[in-house]
Amino acid sequence: MAHISEAEFARICEGIREDRRSIIEHNPIGPPEDILLWMLMSTLVMYLSLDDAEAPCFPGKPDAGTYRTAIHFILTDRKTDDFAVDPYLDNLISE
């Protein structure tokens, strides 16, 4: 199982935040916070090399809350050090 450090998670979040405008423009799947959290979740799935059985799947139409929950799920037992995820998520979606 692959792991992620706080520094690397922060770097990924900041990269998405820096590209926020372009990401939202090219992925019109819903509100901006849904799009950004979806992008982070998708990036984590690839970064951590999750297989289909480990990747979250959603019944119905996911929203920001669903993506937050999925990100927390993905990071469970995959963080190399204990860090709070929500401040990074809050910063990612703040304007």
Side-chain angles (χ1 to χ4, degrees), residues 3-11 47 78-81 83:
H3 291 85
I4 188 167
S5 68
E6 181 173 8
E8 190 61 19
F9 182 73
R11 187 187 70 74
Y47 180 87
R78 291 186 175 91
K79 297 186 287 183
T80 59
D81 44 335
F83 61 90

Side-chain angles (χ1 to χ4, degrees), residues 2 12-13 17 21-22 31-33 57 60 69 71 86 88-89 95:
I12 291 169
C13 289
R17 184 158 171 68
R21 188 169 176 235
S22 178
E33 69 179 35
C57 55
T69 300
I71 291 165
D86 285 319
Y88 291 102
L89 302 182
E95 291 192 41

Side-chain angles (χ1 to χ4, degrees), residues 3-4 13 22 29 35 50 60 66 72 85-87:
H3 291 85
I4 188 167
C13 289
S22 178
I29 62 171
I35 296 167
L50 302 185
T66 308
H72 279 277
V85 174
D86 285 319

Side-chain angles (χ1 to χ4, degrees), residues 2 39-50 55 74:
M39 180 61 73
L40 175 58
M41 183 199 71
S42 299
T43 301
L44 290 172
V45 167
M46 291 184 305
Y47 180 87
L48 295 168
S49 302
L50 302 185
I74 289 168

